[in-house]
Amino acid sequence: MFVKEIFCTLVTSLFIVPAVQGGYWGVNYPPQEMCALRGSSVVIPCTYDYPERFDTVLTVETVKWFRSSIPGITDRDTYVYHSTGINVSLEYKHRTKYLGNKVKNCTLQIRDLQSTDTDKYYFKFETNHPAGKWTGASGVSLSITEPKVTLDPPVPDHTVKEGSFIHLTCGFDRCTLSESSFVWYREGQPISNEKLNKLQFNVSYEHSGKYCCATAENSSFKSEEINLIVKYSPKNTSVSVRAPGGIVEGSSVTLTCTSNANPPVSSYTWFKNQSNVMKSGSEQNLIFANISLCDSGEYYCESSNEIGRQISPAVQIRVKSLTIYFPFFFFFFLSDKMNTILVAIVGIQAAIIFDLLVVICVQWLKSKSPQENSQNIQPSSGGDTYATIDLKTLGSDYDTLQSSFVWYREGQPIRNTTSNNLQFNVSHEHSGNYYCATNENSNIKSKAFKLNVKYPPRNTSVSVSPPGEIVPGIPVILTCSSNANPPVSSYTWFKTSRNHVVKSGPEQSLIFENISLHDSGEYYCESINEIGRSVSLVVPLTVNSTMNTIIIVLMGLVAAVNIVILVVVVKVRK
């Protein structure tokens, strides 16, 4: 039986194909080869014919489709489609649909195509006569393809230099499809206004990232990503200053040069006052372990890599002087009988001066130890208030207008919005003027619609004026800043060391006109509007037992001793 079927198949291939003549056994597949995109559907056209009589009037009872990549096989135990539903492969059970009938139409549809569907497909029908069966031996070759991104010109590891002109092409890896519209993605986000299969541009450092593409008809099936690596010279070079104890003579100060570059910065050069090279090498820090007055000046750095170099803006360093004035001592050596008195007085002066030097050394060592400006304490705060907004284009002719739209916010187009409806959950960042236009006439825009978003206070923070060391007796102002709409209506100040409210009201500043030691502590503020509230980070306020006060007292003692010396000398002379 198997040999007979093969013989009949060969005879049909020789005398009937490509056209099936009425009254003859045969199957005709108009396209011998087909190509389809992964994830899409394909319809395989097919017709068949058979004699009207074969010892009896023939009627088709069973139709079936199967696949095989081995030439000469005319039937399989499992099927892509079977009219009785038996032995249908599980991978095709819910993906095939027979669009033909039992009267000469054998068209088949396969949905949700996968890469494994690539193969050769055959149709077979059986009649009511035991010998009346036929298989279309030529079959249809089906290839499944998917998008693939290629880089032109090709470079190793997809690494290009900034300024290069490149092409990214979205093609197909196995066969060619006549797709007319494509979607490009970078880092998973669609690139607006790019619908051709080629993406071309002059490369900048902002173009680094992973790219993939898809057809507009099957945008959910994307190509594999290619990682575009852009080499570029240093960008955004800047200098930061770290001085835990303030920039005071004798303290430690560190300047750090930071830059964004690929490959990373290999060399840093430090300059002072535009001409003097301070340091050059791979270290990005310029460290003054014991800064002096002569180190004052303007500093900037130059960062370099194999692509290029960039110079930072200058930073002004002003070193404050710590000067101590000692009184001028007069010693009168009069007579032998005064020597004992003078020695005693000088000893007292020496003891006071020694104590003064000890205090200065202690204060200097304290200034050397690092101090943190704030703590990582964040009391809970409210978030944004969200609502759903539905913006629509309105017009008397809209019902007859068939077009896509472009939406704008503050003059900038909003990506991936082609419908006449713009819907989103509102956050504080959505405030602004909105308007729209049709893609065909994007230069003719609608009137602006101003969207005003109310939200609770955000980014609440406390600033201290003056910065640096705080000593008793000076005025100090703490200011609570916050971003809110409507504006903040009330501020509340807290001191955590006593866990109580210091002040509450519409004023955003907490003022100490003559600060004292007991005002030291940790402070934070709470800003409130009609939508909600927000609490700032805690800021420590340390009022130092000022060294200047101690020095003044000790100097007063020294002055008093000198007065005693002068009085004694005057009396002795008399």
Side-chain angles (χ1 to χ4, degrees):
M1 188 67 178
F2 178 76
V3 174
K4 180 180 178 181
E5 287 187 358
I6 294 179
F7 177 77
C8 293
T9 298
L10 293 174
V11 172
T12 301
S13 301
L14 291 173
F15 297 103
I16 297 180
V17 177
V20 176
Q21 304 296 325
Y24 292 91
W25 297 95
V27 176
N28 181 35
Y29 310 101
Q32 295 293 305
E33 294 183 354
M34 298 185 68
C35 183
L37 190 65
R38 182 172 70 92
S40 65
S41 296
V42 66
V43 174
I44 304 176
C46 173
T47 59
Y48 64 101
D49 203 359
Y50 53 92
E52 293 182 1
R53 297 184 61 85
F54 192 72
D55 295 338
T56 183
V57 177
L58 294 180
T59 59
V60 176
E61 293 184 344
T62 305
V63 293
K64 45 191 168 182
W65 280 86
F66 61 94
R67 56 179 284 188
S68 175
S69 56
I70 304 174
I73 291 184
T74 58
D75 205 343
R76 300 292 294 270
D77 293 333
T78 57
Y79 301 95
V80 172
Y81 171 80
H82 198 295
S83 58
T84 63
I86 62 173
N87 295 333
V88 176
S89 174
L90 289 177
E91 59 180 313
Y92 289 99
K93 201 170 187 65
H94 301 291
R95 293 196 296 125
T96 56
K97 184 177 181 180
Y98 186 64
L99 302 179
N101 49 41
K102 293 183 179 180
V103 187
K104 302 185 180 183
N105 185 353
C106 50
T107 301
L108 178 71
Q109 181 188 47
I110 305 176
R111 300 183 298 273
D112 190 21
L113 290 168
Q114 304 300 315
S115 298
T116 54
D117 292 334
T118 296
D119 210 337
K120 201 159 189 178
Y121 290 77
Y122 303 88
F123 174 73
K124 181 179 181 178
F125 65 95
E126 298 175 353
T127 67
N128 55 339
H129 191 284
K133 58 182 69 175
W134 200 264
T135 301
S138 61
V140 177
S141 293
L142 178 63
S143 298
I144 309 302
T145 187
E146 53 187 301
K148 181 180 181 180
V149 178
T150 56
L151 174 63
D152 185 29
V155 289
D157 301 323
H158 303 134
T159 301
V160 297
K161 286 186 179 181
E162 187 176 34
S164 304
F165 186 77
I166 65 169
H167 300 260
L168 293 178
T169 303
C170 187
F172 302 99
D173 58 350
R174 294 185 181 178
C175 50
T176 302
L177 294 178
S178 58
E179 300 290 337
S180 59
S181 184
F182 293 81
V183 183
W184 284 92
Y185 299 86
R186 177 180 174 273
E187 297 294 340
Q189 298 299 316
I191 302 174
S192 61
N193 302 325
E194 294 294 343
K195 297 181 180 180
L196 300 178
N197 69 319
K198 284 188 181 292
L199 187 64
Q200 51 190 1
F201 48 84
N202 287 314
V203 178
S204 77
Y205 75 100
E206 296 176 329
H207 287 122
S208 292
K210 296 178 179 180
Y211 290 79
C212 65
C213 66
T215 63
E217 293 79 4
N218 291 277
S219 59
S220 59
F221 290 90
K222 302 179 179 67
S223 68
E224 290 187 2
E225 294 179 322
I226 71 164
N227 187 19
L228 185 64
I229 301 172
V230 180
K231 287 187 174 182
Y232 55 92
S233 59
K235 311 284 184 186
N236 305 319
T237 304
S238 63
V239 174
S240 60
V241 182
R242 183 176 182 272
I247 306 177
V248 182
E249 188 177 14
S251 65
S252 174
V253 177
T254 301
L255 307 185
T256 302
C257 185
T258 56
S259 194
N260 180 24
N262 186 31
V265 173
S266 56
S267 175
Y268 298 90
T269 304
W270 286 93
F271 299 88
K272 180 182 178 183
N273 296 333
Q274 299 183 355
S275 59
N276 185 20
V277 176
M278 300 292 294
K279 180 183 178 183
S280 182
S282 59
E283 295 183 6
Q284 66 182 123
N285 294 328
L286 180 62
I287 301 174
F288 299 91
N290 188 6
I291 201 165
S292 63
L293 292 175
C294 65
D295 292 323
S296 295
E298 285 189 341
Y299 290 82
Y300 64 93
C301 68
E302 179 185 70
S303 54
S304 307
N305 67 0
E306 65 184 51
I307 308 299
R309 61 189 64 213
Q310 188 184 48
I311 295 177
S312 73
V315 171
Q316 183 73 39
I317 298 296
R318 293 185 178 88
V319 183
K320 297 179 181 178
S321 174
L322 182 60
T323 305
I324 302 172
Y325 297 95
F326 292 95
F328 187 78
F329 297 97
F330 295 93
F331 295 99
F332 298 89
F333 295 91
L334 301 176
S335 62
D336 291 340
K337 65 180 180 179
M338 288 296 300
N339 286 343
T340 303
I341 298 174
L342 292 175
V343 169
I345 293 174
V346 170
I348 294 172
Q349 287 183 333
I352 293 174
I353 294 172
F354 178 80
D355 291 339
L356 179 63
L357 292 175
V358 169
V359 171
I360 294 172
C361 290
V362 170
Q363 291 296 326
W364 180 78
L365 289 174
K366 284 184 178 180
S367 69
K368 294 281 285 182
S369 61
Q371 300 176 4
E372 296 295 332
N373 292 328
S374 62
Q375 295 184 9
N376 251 348
I377 300 175
Q378 176 63 66
S380 62
S381 60
D384 284 342
T385 300
Y386 290 91
T388 298
I389 295 295
D390 185 358
L391 301 179
K392 298 182 178 180
T393 58
L394 299 176
S396 58
D397 297 328
Y398 177 74
D399 292 337
T400 60
L401 182 63
Q402 300 297 325
S403 179
S404 59
F405 294 84
V406 182
W407 284 91
Y408 298 83
R409 175 181 174 275
E410 297 298 334
Q412 298 299 316
I414 303 173
R415 297 192 301 179
N416 307 326
T417 55
T418 58
S419 172
N420 71 309
N421 290 340
L422 182 62
Q423 299 181 352
F424 48 88
N425 289 322
V426 177
S427 76
H428 71 284
E429 297 175 343
H430 288 116
S431 292
N433 292 309
Y434 290 78
Y435 50 90
C436 64
T438 63
N439 266 323
E440 292 77 7
N441 293 281
S442 59
N443 59 329
I444 302 177
K445 302 179 177 64
S446 68
K447 291 183 178 180
F449 175 89
K450 185 173 183 179
L451 182 64
N452 184 26
V453 180
K454 290 185 176 182
Y455 53 92
R458 301 176 59 85
N459 304 321
T460 303
S461 62
V462 174
S463 60
V464 182
S465 178
E469 184 181 16
I470 298 175
V471 297
I474 67 171
V476 175
I477 301 175
L478 305 185
T479 303
C480 185
S481 302
S482 194
N483 180 20
N485 186 28
V488 174
S489 58
S490 176
Y491 298 88
T492 303
W493 287 93
F494 300 86
K495 183 177 181 183
T496 58
S497 61
R498 298 183 179 178
N499 196 24
H500 73 279
V501 175
V502 178
K503 180 183 177 182
S504 182
E507 296 179 2
Q508 67 180 120
S509 297
L510 179 61
I511 301 175
F512 302 89
E513 294 183 353
N514 191 1
I515 201 164
S516 62
L517 290 175
H518 73 271
D519 292 323
S520 295
E522 294 176 332
Y523 291 81
Y524 66 93
C525 68
E526 181 184 59
S527 55
I528 304 171
N529 69 359
E530 67 185 45
I531 307 300
R533 59 188 66 211
S534 175
V535 179
S536 72
L537 292 173
V538 172
V539 173
L541 185 65
T542 303
V543 182
N544 293 324
S545 179
T546 175
M547 183 174 63
N548 293 335
T549 303
I550 297 173
I551 292 174
I552 292 172
V553 172
L554 293 177
M555 289 176 63
L557 292 175
V558 173
V561 171
N562 282 324
I563 293 173
V564 172
I565 292 173
L566 293 175
V567 171
V568 172
V569 169
V570 171
K571 287 185 177 180
V572 170
R573 283 183 174 181
K574 290 181 179 180

